[in-house]
Amino acid sequence: MSKVETKYIFVTGGVLSSLGKGITSSSIATLLKHSGFEVGILKIDPYINVDPGTMSPLEHGEVFVTRDGAETDLDIGHYERFLNMDFSSKNNFTTGQVYLSVIDRERKGGYLGKTIQVIPHIVDEIKRRIKLAGEGKEILVVELGGTVGDIEGLPFLEAMREIKHEYGIERVISVHVTLIPLIRVAGELKTKPTQHSVQELRRIGITPQIIIARTEKELSKELKNKLSMSCDVDYDCVIMAQDAKSIYQMPLNFLKEGVLVPISRFLKLPQSTPDMKEWDSLVKRILAPQNEVSIAFVGKYLNLKESYKSLIEALVHAGANLDTKVNIQWIDSEELERNQELLKQLKYVDGILVPGGFGERGIKGKMEAIKFARENKIPFLGICLGMQLAILEFARNVLGVKEADSMEFNPKTKEPFIYLIENFIDQNGEKQIRTHTSPMGGTMRLGEYECQTKEGSKLQKAYNGQKIIKERHRHRYEANPKYREILEKNGLIISGESKGLIEVIELENHPWFVAVQFHPEFTSRLQAPNLVILEFIKQASKHNAN
Ligand code: GLN
């Protein structure tokens, strides 16, 4: 690879969290990519966990899985969805990982007895990882999690400062995303929190070049002037990020606000206009679609929908590509167990979706929904746990094996239709041994695996006739091949397999009932929707038309 001099755009957040730093970073990177640059993107998480794999989805939102099997922050999902690129474990790291590698090196004598300190050792390790993520890229966008002023963010800001010192303004700029709150009673937008946040950045030696001002109401010229003056940035460096209906509008809005002008000026990039034609027409279809379908989403983390982020976005992608609004009917699986009336409501939806999940809570309700889809011939897509439950529902209600169970819920079950395989071949072709006492983290089948599709199956049709498809995984349990024959004899088709593992099932005598062990939502992008999810929405539209 020829040595390119990577340029860096650091994105920090001020005032408060959840301002959309991930969407801002993705949008800037998207515009640069569409301008023809070789772009990379990195998320740094200041928390101590080594990865989000064992963090509760209720606390942290979804765990996103990359192709190479890393369990990462959900922002990596946004990056892939916006940039239509695959990222890897190199594109996300945490404080925990940084300390782990420094301490590991120290234990091995790698520092020759020196005193290990935050500066330089921790900061050097951070810089090393940032540079690694930028290797071979013309521009690397680096998003720093958390808010300026957080104690745990300091070593990362210091790393930023040092990289800037090393490479200079032509290679390193700082973009600060802040909130301009609206004081409703006065009807006024306030700039003071932004001024304070910029002061805090300056105190640690960082001067932002660009301010992204998140706001409910349009920023006036006067206000932009005030921000420009008080934050000491050029007028055209104050970029408004007004609340939008769809996150996919943001690259277009930033382009209109002229974000590329100061970026190109500082980084001395050749002038170019990004080609956003296709993007623009997809966004138009998100905002004003011709058709509608309603999908029942039967989950258990409904009070925190962030834990289904990729799947919700995948439905948006499918909808955008089919010019259809996908209306999600949120159905709480536990509520479904108690309330027969709610179950009957499923008659009015066009498709039923049972997503992945862990643990026993809510599974009865999910199985009720699956049974309803099967008996009432409603298009159905089951994902991961959704597939495992579809097999259990079939075993119990069609085969009459009442004790059919998953070892996840009942480790001693006599009928382990879903079981724990103790060894499997991982992505690198290596045999992995797993036991019931394996620790929580690191024992899952993770990342991309090939799946062979069955000739003539609904699955193969959904994937445009492809014989081999590649999708990502995150699960511990598997469908037990011991029951294969009895399932197949009774109308359940095994339509996808991966080296002997059952990956996809579907039903004969049903318009469209498909359940997959993998997570198709992880590979869905706005410009390249996942094909099985796309087909599910097509089938739901067909059901709607009938
Ligand atoms: N809990 C199931 C397993 O570990 C399914 C996981 C999932 O849905 N992601 O196999």
Side-chain angles (χ1 to χ4, degrees):
M1 204 186 303
S2 70
K3 191 109 179 89
V4 285
E5 282 204 334
T6 311
K7 299 183 191 260
Y8 298 86
I9 300 176
F10 285 98
V11 180
T12 54
V15 182
L16 43 85
S17 60
S18 304
L19 282 183
K21 249 183 304 143
I23 302 298
T24 300
S25 307
S26 305
S27 298
I28 292 176
T30 301
L31 290 174
L32 291 165
K33 183 191 167 198
H34 287 241
S35 304
F37 295 105
E38 194 65 52
V39 181
I41 188 158
L42 164 70
K43 168 84 191 277
I44 301 178
D45 283 307
Y47 50 73
I48 317 282
N49 304 60
V50 171
D51 62 46
T54 50
M55 285 163 91
S56 159
L58 293 173
E59 205 170 301
H60 190 71
E62 171 184 87
V63 174
F64 186 78
V65 179
T66 55
R67 189 173 159 189
D68 65 340
E71 296 180 284
T72 66
D73 186 82
L74 56 75
D75 274 318
I76 310 304
H78 284 309
Y79 300 167
E80 293 203 350
R81 290 189 280 274
F82 272 70
L83 290 159
N84 193 8
M85 287 163 76
D86 287 331
F87 294 110
S88 71
S89 52
K90 274 196 319 203
N91 301 88
N92 180 210
F93 66 85
T94 70
T95 293
Q97 284 173 27
V98 171
Y99 272 81
L100 203 62
S101 40
V102 169
I103 292 172
D104 191 47
R105 192 176 318 148
E106 185 273 333
R107 292 287 84 186
K108 291 187 178 130
Y111 293 103
L112 306 172
K114 281 208 162 15
T115 308
I116 311 304
Q117 293 176 299
V118 173
I119 300 175
H121 304 99
I122 294 296
V123 171
D124 281 351
E125 174 62 17
I126 295 170
K127 290 197 300 189
R128 188 188 69 78
R129 285 170 179 258
I130 293 174
K131 290 176 183 174
L132 183 70
E135 242 169 37
K137 305 287 178 195
E138 287 170 284
I139 304 166
L140 181 73
V141 176
V142 184
E143 178 192 349
L144 176 56
T147 307
V148 168
D150 295 347
I151 291 177
E152 61 263 43
L154 283 174
F156 299 105
L157 292 168
E158 173 62 13
M160 260 173 73
R161 195 193 63 77
E162 290 185 17
I163 292 180
K164 160 83 185 307
H165 178 81
E166 210 174 306
Y167 294 151
I169 185 79
E170 282 180 22
R171 283 184 63 188
V172 184
I173 59 168
S174 154
V175 174
H176 192 51
V177 184
T178 83
L179 177 71
I180 311 294
L182 173 68
I183 305 300
R184 254 169 228 283
V185 278
E188 251 183 88
L189 291 166
K190 292 291 186 188
T191 61
K192 192 65 63 73
T194 301
Q195 298 180 36
H196 282 299
S197 185
V198 170
Q199 272 165 20
E200 178 63 18
L201 266 178
R202 282 217 211 94
R203 198 178 61 79
I204 42 189
I206 294 167
T207 305
Q209 279 72 44
I210 296 175
I211 302 286
I212 306 271
R214 176 78 189 264
T215 172
E216 239 177 273
K217 236 173 81 176
E218 191 165 345
L219 295 186
S220 63
K221 267 208 179 102
E222 291 72 45
L223 218 97
K224 278 194 176 182
N225 255 323
K226 190 170 169 191
L227 279 167
S228 147
M229 176 72 166
S230 59
C231 299
D232 197 23
V233 298
D234 296 334
Y235 179 82
D236 70 351
C237 293
V238 179
I239 304 293
M240 175 177 72
Q242 197 173 356
D243 296 357
K245 278 213 180 87
S246 160
I247 52 173
Y248 300 105
Q249 280 169 276
M250 290 320 289
L252 302 169
N253 292 357
F254 281 135
L255 183 63
K256 242 189 270 158
E257 275 286 297
V259 77
L260 290 184
V261 177
I263 291 180
S264 311
R265 184 166 70 238
F266 287 116
L267 295 180
K268 300 250 177 321
L269 300 175
Q271 278 296 332
S272 66
T273 338
D275 177 3
M276 298 298 284
K277 247 198 258 103
E278 188 193 37
W279 190 281
D280 194 37
S281 78
L282 286 165
V283 168
K284 285 205 175 93
R285 289 198 247 165
I286 294 176
L287 299 177
Q290 296 294 315
N291 312 300
E292 281 190 57
V293 287
S294 75
I295 299 294
F297 192 115
V298 188
K300 73 168 175 182
Y301 306 119
L302 297 193
N303 46 359
L304 203 75
K305 309 226 166 70
E306 287 286 282
S307 54
Y308 297 118
K309 193 83 209 161
S310 293
L311 190 47
I312 296 169
E313 293 304 323
L315 293 172
V316 173
H317 305 158
N321 282 273
L322 296 170
D323 206 356
T324 297
K325 175 155 181 25
V326 179
N327 293 313
I328 299 179
Q329 313 286 334
W330 294 99
I331 310 272
D332 180 337
S333 49
E334 284 179 288
E335 174 87 27
L336 213 49
E337 289 168 16
R338 293 187 290 267
N339 183 348
Q340 282 296 312
E341 279 312 303
L342 187 61
L343 192 63
K344 285 189 205 137
Q345 291 298 314
L346 293 180
K347 228 184 256 153
Y348 305 107
V349 300
D350 306 315
I352 296 178
L353 175 60
V354 176
F358 291 84
E360 202 173 359
R361 190 163 65 81
I363 60 160
K364 270 207 219 102
K366 288 184 179 173
M367 274 199 263
E368 289 284 345
I370 293 168
K371 181 163 179 253
F372 196 91
R374 180 174 59 75
E375 291 182 343
N376 294 281
K377 311 241 183 274
I378 299 173
F380 170 80
L381 178 64
I383 294 177
C384 208
L385 181 67
M387 175 189 106
Q388 297 172 358
L389 295 177
I391 292 179
L392 294 186
E393 192 280 319
F394 191 86
R396 289 183 193 176
N397 300 326
V398 178
L399 306 182
V401 185
K402 292 288 171 233
E403 289 190 310
D405 219 329
S406 163
M407 285 170 70
E408 181 175 8
F409 319 131
N410 179 4
K412 297 208 172 80
T413 174
K414 289 201 187 68
E415 302 287 0
F417 274 73
I418 307 300
Y419 77 140
L420 189 71
I421 41 168
E422 274 155 21
N423 49 65
F424 67 103
I425 307 298
D426 74 6
Q427 278 189 319
N428 307 320
E430 277 165 34
K431 191 167 167 175
Q432 292 290 333
I433 312 278
R434 172 166 56 186
T435 67
H436 284 291
T437 50
S438 298
M440 284 297 274
T443 62
M444 279 199 265
R445 186 163 169 245
L446 286 166
E448 182 185 276
Y449 286 89
E450 282 189 355
C451 165
Q452 275 158 319
T453 62
K454 192 181 165 103
E455 227 39 66
S457 63
K458 293 187 175 95
L459 178 78
Q460 196 177 73
K461 186 161 170 277
Y463 282 89
N464 298 328
Q466 292 176 64
K467 290 184 171 43
I468 304 267
I469 59 173
K470 291 176 185 166
E471 291 289 2
R472 299 182 195 170
H473 293 249
R474 183 171 187 256
H475 60 109
R476 213 168 263 124
Y477 298 87
E478 301 281 347
N480 194 340
K482 184 171 113 181
Y483 298 100
R484 199 184 162 122
E485 217 183 300
I486 175 166
L487 288 166
E488 285 181 312
K489 265 200 196 133
N490 288 279
L492 185 141
I493 301 161
I494 290 168
S495 59
E497 286 181 66
S498 174
K499 298 207 169 94
L501 298 177
I502 297 170
E503 296 275 86
V504 186
I505 59 147
E506 48 192 77
L507 291 186
E508 272 173 24
N509 307 323
H510 189 290
W512 207 82
F513 185 110
V514 175
V516 298
Q517 182 61 76
F518 47 75
H519 285 272
E521 67 271 29
F522 289 145
T523 54
S524 183
R525 284 98 194 252
L526 179 63
Q527 294 171 289
N530 178 276
L531 293 176
V532 75
I533 295 173
L534 188 75
E535 182 67 18
F536 171 55
I537 298 303
K538 268 191 208 162
Q539 294 293 330
S541 304
K542 227 172 157 184
H543 184 264
N544 175 308
N546 290 334

